[in-house]
Amino acid sequence: MYAAERHQLLAQRARRDGRVDVADLAAELGVAPETIRRDLGTLERQGLVRRVYGGAVAIDRLDFEPEVAQRDQTNAAEKDAIARAALDLVPDRGSVLLDAGTTTSRLATLLPTDRDLTVITNSIPIASILATRPGVTLHMLGGRVRGTTLAAVESWTLHALGGLLVDVAFLGTNGFSVEHGCTTPDIAEAAVKAAAVTAARQRVLLADHSKYGADQLSRFATLAEIDVLVTDRGLDAGVVSELEDGGPQVVLA
């Protein structure tokens, strides 16, 4: 396959899937990873993609949020592992805030029934998981519900969070990096996440490796404001070291 043909294929895949992975494409096309990286560099200079850790994201998809069902199928095994690892950070008793997200939803399904937990969430899916769970006192935050994420946002949500101090907040994100911290495409949702950070004694970020470097429009926390990052082993040791230098303890699931 000629370079121009690879470029066209990579650009098409990026537009279709939102993201392309260097290792997967190198194996599929039978070329070295360095060749794919050079190709992505060319596409980046043409304004078609932005290179991120392990691959690239289509420029026209950077502020695009897939629906919950679609996001739930992306890196599902990694999200399951992250949720299991995060379970060790759930207190034996006390208050927990679960931010909207597909990985935090997985954690909700794993919460034990033999503990005395007060759970606060702005997520309709999480609330439906926990509404009848033994051992859980559930508080649903009100507000305008975003159809994309099924999360409550805006003034009602922010007002309620402003009066809370929870033991642990488990947070989701669309992107995270050393340079830009934790980011999400929607400004209203970022405001709620930022309020959750302020409302918690301990802040735990749940994010699989594909989120690294995929910086979005609105920042809701710096890395220094995150106490623990639970991610998967798709991140190499150098990146983990950089992240820990930025503030959080990194747990690899």
Side-chain angles (χ1 to χ4, degrees):
M1 180 179 288
Y2 293 112
E5 294 174 308
R6 285 198 312 274
H7 296 166
Q8 183 179 18
L9 175 64
L10 267 58
Q12 289 172 343
R13 290 285 181 86
R15 284 194 298 269
R16 185 191 72 186
D17 301 334
R19 180 187 175 100
V20 291
D21 181 270
V22 168
D24 290 346
L25 283 165
E28 178 183 340
L29 301 179
V31 298
E34 290 75 15
T35 300
I36 300 298
R37 293 190 187 98
R38 286 196 297 271
D39 291 340
L40 293 177
T42 299
L43 295 177
E44 185 174 47
R45 289 190 293 274
Q46 294 173 355
L48 298 175
V49 303
R50 179 189 296 173
R51 296 177 68 183
V52 298
Y53 180 78
V57 178
I59 288 292
D60 59 1
R61 296 287 293 271
L62 276 173
D63 293 330
F64 168 76
E65 286 185 279
E67 300 292 331
V68 172
Q70 181 180 344
R71 287 187 292 115
D72 193 49
Q73 299 304 312
T74 304
N75 295 322
E78 289 86 350
K79 291 175 180 179
D80 287 338
I82 290 167
R84 289 193 296 270
L87 202 56
D88 291 337
L89 300 171
V90 175
D92 290 335
R93 61 180 300 157
S95 54
V96 172
L97 191 152
L98 292 179
D99 179 30
T102 55
T103 310
T104 49
S105 292
R106 281 170 162 77
L107 176 58
T109 67
L110 298 176
L111 287 182
T113 59
D114 60 350
R115 303 185 192 181
D116 184 13
L117 295 175
T118 297
V119 178
I120 297 99
T121 188
N122 67 323
S123 164
I124 291 177
I126 289 175
S128 67
I129 291 168
L130 297 177
T132 59
R133 180 70 59 89
V136 170
T137 300
L138 176 67
H139 295 268
M140 176 74 191
L141 298 171
R144 177 179 67 85
V145 175
R146 292 192 66 224
T148 303
T149 58
L150 300 178
V153 296
E154 296 184 350
S155 58
W156 285 4
T157 319
L158 295 173
H159 178 74
L161 282 169
L164 296 179
L165 179 60
V166 299
D167 294 319
V168 188
F170 292 93
L171 304 158
T173 189
N174 294 78
F176 70 100
S177 68
V178 174
E179 296 82 5
H180 301 290
C182 309
T183 55
T184 194
D186 186 77
I187 293 173
E189 197 142 351
V192 172
K193 290 176 182 289
V197 169
T198 301
R201 290 188 173 94
Q202 183 181 37
R203 286 85 60 180
V204 180
L205 184 70
L206 309 183
D208 68 76
H209 74 277
S210 71
K211 307 288 181 64
Y212 180 74
D215 300 316
Q216 304 290 323
L217 173 66
S218 187
R219 179 169 61 195
F220 63 87
T222 64
L223 283 184
E225 293 175 296
I226 301 300
D227 298 297
V228 183
L229 164 65
V230 186
T231 187
D232 62 85
R233 298 180 183 275
L235 288 179
D236 64 40
V239 172
V240 171
S241 179
E242 288 182 5
L243 289 167
E244 290 190 320
D245 287 344
Q249 173 193 356
V250 178
V251 175
L252 296 178

